[in-house]
Amino acid sequence: MDVSAELPTLRESCGGPGRDRDSGQPPRRAPRAMDYDHNKALLLELQRAAGTGNDRCADCGDPDPEWASYKLGIFICLNCSGIHRNLPEISRVKSLRLDFWESNLIEFMRNHGNVWAKAKYEAKLPPYYYIPKSHDCMVLRQQWIRAKYERGEFLDTGVCHDPCSAGSREGCLWKLGKGRRQFQKRQFLLSAKEGLMKYYTKESKVPKAVISVETLNAMFQVEKIGHSHGLQITYITDGQTRNLFVYHESGKEIVDWFNAIRAARYHYLRTTFPNLPEPELIPRITRSFVKEGYMEKTGPKQKEAFKVRWFCLDSQERNLLYFKNPLDAFAQGQVSIGRKDEGYEVRDDLPQKVWVRKKKPVITLVTPVREFVFICDNDRQQKEWMDALNGVITQL
C-alpha cells in the first residue's frame, strides 16, 4: 500500500540533527538549539492535544507514546516503533525527544494524528478482529500493524468482513502429538456456518476430532509451546477441557487462524444471543487464562504428599484447572470457583490441623465442599495467585 502521496513535499528527515541518510547529499546545516527546542515543544504539545488520540499509542493503546511515524502521521510507543522500523516502505519513525523534527514534518503530524489514522486504517475493522495490547506476543502485534498499514485490510474499500465467511477456513497446522514428543502436520477445517471445527490425521477422510464452536477457544502461548507462533486451542469434550497445541511457520497464517476462530465464535454468539450488547459479547469471543504457573497441591484428606502441578485459572468459566505437565491434553482435575457470598474465600494460612514440612508461602482456597491447600515458591507468586483468585471470587 503506497502512503507516499500523503508525505510533505520537502525532504524527509530520517535521523538526528543534520543527517540525511537516504539522499546521499551533504548534510544540511545543523539546526540551532533554539529551533530544536521550539520544534520539540510543538511536537510534545501535539502529543498531548485533546481530541487527537495522540496521547496513546495508535497501535497498542499504551499511554504517553514517545515515538512517531512521520510517514503515517501517528504517535506510537517504543515497542510498536520497533515493528514500524522494520517496514521502511510503509513507515519511518523518530523519537519525539531525541531526534530533530523539521517544521514541515511537524505540520504533517498536525494535519494527521491518531484519530485521523484510526478513521482511515481501521474504517472497516470487524468487531471480532483481535486488537493486541502492549503485553501481547510479538506475532499478534506485528500482524496487526502490517494488516493495517501494509496490507490495508481495514480500509474503506467496500470489502465485506462477514463473520460467517471470515469464520470459515481450511489449511494445515503443526499439532503437538501424543506424549508431547513432536509436532505433526494436520489438516484443519473451520466452518462458522456449521458451527464446527475439525482436524484430520494424515491421509484420513474421517476427522480425528469434531469440535463445537460453542466451547471453542484459542489463545497464544508462545513460551509454553516454545514457538513464537504457538497457539493453544481448547474445547470441551465429554465434560472435560481438551487442549490442542499448534503453530504455523507463517506469522500471518497463524494470526489469520486465530481471527477466523474469533469470527466463527462471534457468529455463534451473535446468532445465539441476538439481543446481547456488543460490549458484553466481545469479551466472550476468546479469552486467555488470567494466571498460569506451577504450585504444589495435596489431596482431599490434606495428609497426602504435596505434588507439583501446572495450574491455569480461567476467570470466564470460573475454573482452576491443574495438569501434571503444562502441555498435557487433559487436566488431572479442576476446582470450580464461586462467589464470596456463596462461601468461597482465599487465605494465606493453613487450615487447622494441617502441617507442611516446607517453609514456603501457602494458599488455602476455601469452598463450601472442602479446603484446597497450595504451596508457592515465594511471596511474589503467592500474592499473584491470591490476587487472581480473589479477582474471580469477587467478579459478578
Side-chain angles (χ1 to χ4, degrees):
M1 195 187 120
D2 185 11
V3 296
S4 60
E6 298 172 3
L7 289 171
T9 55
L10 296 178
R11 179 188 58 82
E12 297 172 358
S13 173
C14 297
R19 288 179 286 179
D20 192 351
R21 301 180 193 146
D22 293 342
S23 67
Q25 299 298 317
R28 296 182 61 180
R29 176 183 60 82
R32 293 176 300 174
M34 185 182 300
D35 297 333
Y36 186 94
D37 293 339
H38 175 71
N39 285 4
K40 183 169 77 171
L42 290 176
L43 194 64
L44 293 175
E45 184 180 319
L46 280 177
Q47 189 252 21
R48 296 188 293 265
T52 62
N54 298 338
D55 60 335
R56 289 189 172 272
C57 175
D59 295 324
C60 74
D62 256 16
D64 304 317
E66 292 278 320
W67 291 74
S69 167
Y70 60 86
K71 200 167 183 179
L72 294 168
I74 57 174
F75 291 80
I76 53 179
C77 69
L78 174 63
N79 287 335
C80 290
S81 75
I83 300 172
H84 280 259
R85 195 180 294 276
N86 290 323
L87 302 171
E89 297 302 316
I90 303 300
S91 183
R92 296 291 178 90
V93 300
K94 290 162 75 83
S95 167
L96 303 187
R97 298 180 182 274
L98 302 178
D99 290 322
F100 175 67
W101 285 76
E102 295 175 335
S103 298
N104 66 304
L105 294 184
I106 292 177
E107 189 62 24
F108 181 73
M109 298 298 295
R110 189 191 308 279
N111 293 333
H112 293 79
N114 290 6
V115 166
W116 173 90
K118 184 179 180 70
K120 177 180 179 178
Y121 294 106
E122 300 179 31
K124 294 296 181 181
L125 180 68
Y128 55 79
Y129 196 97
Y130 183 77
I131 302 175
K133 303 295 186 292
S134 59
H135 63 264
D136 281 307
C137 61
M138 178 63 77
V139 68
L140 267 174
R141 293 185 289 116
Q142 280 179 338
Q143 292 304 316
W144 163 237
I145 290 171
R146 298 187 73 169
K148 278 206 295 184
Y149 308 118
E150 186 178 53
R151 299 192 291 269
E153 291 184 13
F154 316 121
L155 294 173
D156 190 4
T157 56
V159 177
C160 179
H161 293 279
D162 170 56
C164 189
S165 301
S168 300
R169 191 172 187 85
E170 184 174 3
C172 289
L173 295 172
W174 290 91
K175 174 190 167 292
L176 186 64
K178 287 184 178 180
R180 309 183 307 279
R181 287 189 294 270
Q182 61 182 354
F183 283 85
Q184 299 163 326
K185 203 170 188 178
R186 295 289 181 255
Q187 184 77 9
F188 281 77
L189 176 65
L190 174 67
S191 173
K193 186 176 181 180
E194 296 179 3
L196 297 174
M197 186 178 192
K198 308 172 186 177
Y199 78 89
Y200 299 80
T201 56
K202 189 176 181 181
E203 298 178 355
S204 174
K205 295 183 179 180
V206 179
K208 178 71 173 177
V210 178
I211 304 163
S212 171
V213 169
E214 179 183 1
T215 66
L216 183 63
N217 185 44
M219 67 190 86
F220 276 90
Q221 292 279 18
V222 171
E223 293 184 8
K224 182 194 285 191
I225 295 175
H227 194 284
S228 58
H229 303 163
L231 188 70
Q232 179 175 345
I233 297 171
T234 67
Y235 61 97
I236 304 298
T237 177
D238 297 327
Q240 287 186 288
T241 299
R242 171 74 159 96
N243 296 323
L244 303 178
F245 300 98
V246 301
Y247 75 87
H248 195 282
E249 298 91 338
S250 164
K252 180 181 183 302
E253 187 71 14
I254 197 67
V255 172
D256 284 349
W257 267 104
F258 175 62
N259 280 302
I261 291 172
R262 286 180 59 83
R265 283 278 301 159
Y266 179 84
H267 177 73
Y268 161 77
L269 290 169
R270 182 47 71 214
T271 304
T272 308
F273 309 102
N275 298 321
L276 189 67
E278 201 89 333
E280 294 180 32
L281 184 147
I282 298 300
R284 297 174 63 177
I285 297 177
T286 58
R287 64 196 182 277
S288 296
F289 297 129
V290 295
K291 175 72 177 168
E292 287 187 273
Y294 286 108
M295 289 192 292
E296 296 179 51
K297 72 174 292 292
T298 185
K301 296 181 180 179
Q302 298 177 343
K303 295 180 180 179
E304 299 89 345
F306 280 83
K307 295 181 180 180
V308 176
R309 294 292 181 259
W310 179 265
F311 288 83
C312 303
L313 181 58
D314 185 340
S315 62
Q316 184 169 299
E317 296 298 318
R318 306 185 75 105
N319 282 332
L320 179 65
L321 301 97
Y322 54 92
F323 303 80
K324 187 174 182 180
N325 296 289
L327 296 177
D328 283 349
F330 291 96
Q332 288 197 324
Q334 66 181 43
V335 183
S336 296
I337 303 175
R339 298 188 304 271
K340 190 170 184 178
D341 59 9
E342 296 173 330
Y344 291 81
E345 183 186 2
V346 183
R347 299 201 308 255
D348 62 356
D349 56 11
L350 291 168
Q352 292 183 353
K353 299 181 180 180
V354 176
W355 178 83
V356 296
R357 184 176 299 175
K358 297 180 179 179
K359 298 295 183 181
K360 289 186 175 182
V362 299
I363 295 174
T364 298
L365 175 59
V366 180
T367 77
V369 178
R370 58 172 279 201
E371 295 177 328
F372 295 86
V373 181
F374 311 113
I375 296 177
C376 301
D377 278 342
N378 51 59
D379 293 338
R380 179 182 60 82
Q381 187 186 76
Q382 179 199 45
K383 182 180 185 306
E384 289 177 354
W385 272 111
M386 290 188 67
D387 288 346
L389 289 165
N390 272 319
V392 177
I393 290 172
T394 56
Q395 76 183 15
L396 297 178

